[in-house]
Amino acid sequence: DSVDLLQQSVKEISKFSKIPVKDIGVVGDGKFDFKRVTVATIQTLNSVENSKKIDPLTLEKKKNLKNFKNSVKLLIVDEVHE
């Protein structure tokens, strides 16, 4: 499932790049933690982006997502299907 793929991706990026797992951000599986290198599920990004909720936590997530999107220099997408 997407959570397993998320964690697998974090481990593989860490192994390949020598970036410690703790220094890789995760968005998905209940986490919303952006870092210089971040692995995210499209489901979580889409859920936050399109949320109509106006509670403080959702608004903070939307703000963080917007800031992150404005700072992205490289985007790698995996498992793209029609």
Side-chain angles (χ1 to χ4, degrees), residues 44-80:
T44 300
L45 295 174
N46 189 52
S47 172
V48 171
E49 180 82 22
N50 294 313
S51 177
K52 303 295 184 210
K53 295 180 183 177
I54 57 171
D55 63 279
L57 181 59
T58 301
L59 293 176
E60 182 70 18
K61 285 180 178 182
K62 281 184 171 238
K63 178 180 155 197
N64 290 342
L65 178 56
K66 181 180 179 184
N67 290 339
F68 182 75
K69 288 188 329 186
N70 289 334
S71 73
V72 170
K73 293 187 176 39
L74 173 68
L75 177 66
I76 300 171
V77 180
D78 189 16
E79 298 291 328
V80 177

Side-chain angles (χ1 to χ4, degrees), residues 9-49:
S9 295
V10 169
K11 289 176 186 171
E12 288 297 315
I13 289 169
S14 176
K15 185 170 109 179
F16 174 77
S17 68
K18 307 296 188 228
I19 298 170
V21 169
K22 67 177 182 57
D23 293 336
I24 298 174
V26 175
V27 177
D29 190 26
K31 299 175 181 83
F32 206 80
D33 180 30
F34 291 107
K35 295 186 179 171
R36 186 167 181 256
V37 173
T38 299
V39 178
T41 64
I42 194 68
Q43 295 89 342
T44 300
L45 295 174
N46 189 52
S47 172
V48 171
E49 180 82 22

